[in-house]
Amino acid sequence: MACALVAGLAPALVVGAGASQAQAAPLPGGLGPCAGRLCPDEFPEINNGSFAGRDNAINVFAGDDFRVRGRAAEAEGRVVVLDDFDMNKSAGGSAVYDIGIAGVGSRVPPPDGADFLTTGNDITVAPGQRLLADGGVVRYGGTVTGTVTGDLEHDPDAADPYLALRDQLTVASQCYARVDGELRTATGTAVNQGYQTLFTGDGTSALQVFNVDFDLAGASGGQQGIVFQNIPDDATVLVNMLGSERTINTYSGGIVDATDPLNAYRERLLWNFPDATTANFAGTGQFQGSVLVGPQNSMSTVSLPGINGRFFSSGSITHTSEQSGVEFHAYPFDGDLPDCGDEPPGPGPDPVTGEVRVEKTDAETGDALAGAEFELWEETNGVDGLQTGGANPDTQVGDVCTTDTDGVCAQTVATGTYYWRETAVPDGYELPDPNVFGPLELTEDNAAGGVRVEARNTPEDEPGPVTGQVRVLKTDAETGDALAGAEFELWEETNGVDGLQTGGANPDTQVGDVCTTDTDGECTRTVATGTYYWRETAVPDGYELPDPNVFGPLELTEDNAAGGVRVEARNTPEDEPGPVTGQVRVLKTDAETGDALAGAEFELWEETNGVDG
């Protein structure tokens, strides 16, 4: 690690009431100034020209992870990451991320063959994407997955030279903001005027100190300008951004130095975040000055088109944006800061914390439900509602939580805005839509009691048994014609004895009432899967009751239930008796003699019209 001290430091600075005189110093480890024999006399404004020199100092430091997301483009200068470097950009933009040498920036890259990227653990690049470190070394302590250019050197001890920096930066960040536990005395004022925040210095102090306990954003969270006035030439400007969550959303800072007065403060301006676990840098400006984020559990999300200065975080960094070309540009910090010595400063106030909880209940009974799984997310990206994906998501807090027997998931967190997101439900319940509960606003006023939300689950509609039709078709055994008027009982096999038993101590079970076949000769019942019998109890007129009069078994299963099962029951016609017959005779005789007479002719008529005679 290159260490370079600032030449020509002022012998002493008076930093406010309660503070003793302190020797001016650079950032810990000599961080900040350009390092090496090839440093330019002056760093040029943002450009895409020839190299103006070489800088072997660290430009970006992450004490935890560094993530590349969205359409982030490049990080100029040396980058040191104590844990993992993870690159997974959005589809639709460039699949490349440059590190070390940038196409546009100060154009003062590290020397040829220097360590452009150092990681203590793994480097992961998503499929189809490329991390470019041509001309330099990529030194890593874990594994490399994906496409990485440059000279790759595996070194399990890669991060060892830089491990102490993490604690040193945390201590320094607190020291710059506080002396013996009290805020460092401000030398000027910062006023958020809505359209801009105006910083007014005292006009004389070599160290201009501003303590800011609000976001640099408009009233509705939109962009605003950043303006400094009454700042002496060559003074160091220290802005302490106080609070556990802070956002800078600005359009200030230009590509051409002459277009924005903010650019003039670039190399002597430090933005210090001593308390923020969430730090957001958003807007459309070319942000000017160096950044120090002290908390080791912090996440800094950078989506500005340009950061022009060093960026040192003891926590993690996410470089992301929906717009193309967002970049870190390598510019030194040459300011004169208080020398905090070897003793850590007095502690700052503990962050206000409280419990954020979700209570899972049955929507119908109100009973607590165990076994539901929830994620807790903090609102960090400045966009209303919860975003869990894309280029600039909100931040998940901790691991997945499973509700206990009281139906509760709870976490103790710093003040902020939170959402519970349900990802899995107990057996027998439906995942709600939407499955996000919140926002829950945890503030200093309500932190003692915490905040809660109830998440209700609706039981699933339990599927009924699989059913299908069991049918009998009644036909004439000789002609095949359908027969109406036959009567059947449907019985289910329930007693475990083969065949149908309709009486005795343990009969099978009759299903429904007697059914009479319709004009199509059918009886039909819709029933659950099982084994069934049709039993014929009465036949149409002119037919004989079959023996046996039981038809089955019919096996209705899940496989055949859709089409159902049926059996044909054939009836045989009875032998029909002929009509009763007898002789009807007439005897023809002579009326006088009584003798039989042949040759007479007669017609025989049957009484059919119901009229006598």
Side-chain angles (χ1 to χ4, degrees):
M1 178 186 66
C3 295
L5 297 177
V6 178
L9 298 179
L13 288 176
V14 177
V15 292
S20 60
Q21 286 189 332
Q23 188 73 20
L27 288 156
L31 295 175
C34 182
R37 61 183 180 83
L38 299 177
C39 291
D41 292 335
E42 292 185 2
F43 274 65
E45 64 185 10
I46 300 169
N47 71 99
N48 62 353
S50 301
F51 294 159
R54 299 282 185 162
D55 179 8
N56 200 34
I58 298 171
N59 192 56
V60 178
F61 176 87
D64 197 353
D65 298 329
F66 188 99
R67 304 190 306 173
V68 178
R69 297 291 188 267
R71 297 188 175 185
E74 52 196 13
E76 188 176 38
R78 292 185 56 205
V79 177
V80 173
V81 181
L82 295 190
D83 201 352
D84 294 327
F85 182 99
D86 184 89
M87 175 177 166
N88 188 2
K89 298 177 63 174
S90 300
S94 169
V96 167
Y97 190 82
D98 293 303
I99 206 158
I101 298 174
V104 175
S106 68
R107 300 292 284 166
V108 183
D112 282 335
D115 288 357
F116 283 13
L117 172 63
T118 302
T119 70
N121 203 1
D122 299 335
I123 298 174
T124 303
V125 179
Q129 300 182 15
R130 293 177 295 151
L131 175 62
L132 305 185
D134 296 319
V137 173
V138 175
R139 192 178 303 276
Y140 60 98
T143 62
V144 171
T145 302
T147 302
V148 182
T149 68
D151 294 331
L152 274 63
E153 295 191 13
H154 180 243
D155 179 359
D157 302 323
D160 285 2
Y162 314 105
L163 293 177
L165 282 177
R166 191 184 197 201
D167 288 341
Q168 291 170 359
L169 289 171
T170 298
V171 169
S173 180
Q174 277 294 325
C175 168
Y176 300 153
R178 297 178 174 90
V179 178
D180 296 329
E182 300 294 330
L183 281 179
R184 187 173 293 277
T185 300
T187 61
T189 60
V191 179
N192 191 327
Q193 299 173 326
Y195 69 98
Q196 69 177 18
T197 291
L198 177 62
F199 294 86
T200 303
D202 66 3
T204 59
S205 299
L207 177 64
Q208 296 284 310
V209 179
F210 299 92
N211 295 326
V212 179
D213 60 359
F214 52 83
D215 291 338
L216 271 57
S220 60
Q223 297 187 71
Q224 66 168 210
I226 297 174
V227 176
F228 288 91
Q229 66 178 16
N230 207 28
I231 306 295
D233 293 341
D234 297 327
T236 297
V237 179
L238 172 62
V239 181
N240 291 314
M241 299 291 294
L242 307 171
S244 62
E245 181 177 343
R246 280 289 162 256
T247 294
I248 296 177
N249 189 3
T250 185
Y251 52 77
S252 287
I255 292 178
V256 178
D257 285 349
T259 61
D260 195 316
L262 183 62
N263 289 39
Y265 300 98
R266 176 171 55 226
E267 295 173 24
R268 301 183 70 82
L269 170 59
L270 179 68
W271 302 89
N272 178 39
F273 294 74
D275 313 316
T277 55
T278 299
N280 298 310
F281 301 84
T284 58
Q286 286 289 333
F287 189 69
Q288 302 294 313
S290 294
V291 173
L292 172 59
V293 182
Q296 297 184 5
N297 62 340
S298 63
M299 173 59 76
S300 298
T301 302
V302 180
S303 58
L304 279 157
I307 294 287
N308 298 280
R310 309 302 195 198
F311 200 103
F312 303 137
S313 171
S314 293
S316 295
I317 300 170
T318 296
H319 196 199
T320 182
S321 180
E322 293 296 341
Q323 58 186 322
S324 299
V326 294
E327 304 163 354
F328 287 103
H329 296 152
Y331 285 96
F333 174 74
D334 293 329
D336 298 336
L337 294 168
D339 185 352
C340 297
D342 296 330
E343 294 297 323
D350 291 333
V352 176
T353 61
E355 187 178 73
V356 178
R357 60 191 281 159
V358 60
E359 297 176 0
K360 190 66 183 174
T361 59
D362 184 299
E364 297 178 358
T365 66
D367 294 339
L369 296 179
E373 295 183 1
F374 285 88
E375 299 168 346
L376 181 63
W377 288 76
E378 183 179 5
E379 174 62 63
T380 59
N381 65 357
V383 179
D384 288 343
L386 174 62
Q387 292 81 42
T388 61
N392 187 24
D394 292 308
T395 301
Q396 185 175 345
V397 180
D399 298 325
V400 172
C401 174
T402 303
T403 55
D404 56 21
T405 54
D406 294 326
V408 171
C409 273
Q411 289 201 45
T412 299
V413 292
T415 55
T417 301
Y418 295 88
Y419 304 87
W420 284 105
R421 177 173 179 257
E422 188 169 8
T423 57
V425 294
D427 291 341
Y429 288 86
E430 297 177 353
L431 188 68
D433 183 15
N435 63 332
V436 174
F437 302 89
L440 290 86
E441 302 283 349
L442 185 68
T443 67
E444 293 185 2
D445 292 335
N446 64 23
V451 289
R452 61 173 285 270
V453 66
E454 184 177 3
R456 298 177 178 175
N457 270 182
T458 301
E460 293 176 334
D461 293 331
E462 295 187 9
V466 177
T467 61
Q469 288 187 336
V470 178
R471 303 165 58 201
V472 60
L473 174 62
K474 188 66 181 175
T475 59
D476 184 297
E478 296 178 358
T479 66
D481 294 339
L483 296 179
E487 296 182 359
F488 286 88
E489 299 168 346
L490 181 64
W491 289 75
E492 183 179 6
E493 174 61 64
T494 59
N495 65 358
V497 179
D498 289 342
L500 174 62
Q501 292 80 42
T502 61
N506 186 24
D508 292 309
T509 302
Q510 184 174 346
V511 179
D513 297 327
V514 171
C515 174
T516 302
T517 56
D518 57 20
T519 55
D520 294 325
E522 289 188 349
C523 273
T524 302
R525 289 280 189 271
T526 298
V527 291
T529 55
T531 301
Y532 295 89
Y533 304 87
W534 284 106
R535 177 172 179 259
E536 190 169 8
T537 57
V539 294
D541 291 342
Y543 287 86
E544 297 177 353
L545 187 68
D547 184 16
N549 64 333
V550 174
F551 302 89
L554 290 86
E555 301 284 349
L556 184 68
T557 67
E558 291 186 3
D559 293 334
N560 64 24
V565 290
R566 56 162 257 177
V567 65
E568 185 175 359
R570 297 176 179 175
N571 272 182
T572 301
E574 294 175 332
D575 292 333
E576 295 185 9
V580 178
T581 60
Q583 288 185 337
V584 179
R585 301 167 62 197
V586 62
L587 176 62
K588 185 66 177 178
T589 60
D590 182 293
E592 295 178 358
T593 64
D595 294 336
L597 296 177
E601 295 182 357
F602 287 89
E603 296 172 343
L604 180 64
W605 289 73
E606 183 179 4
E607 173 61 60
T608 60
N609 65 358
V611 179
D612 289 342

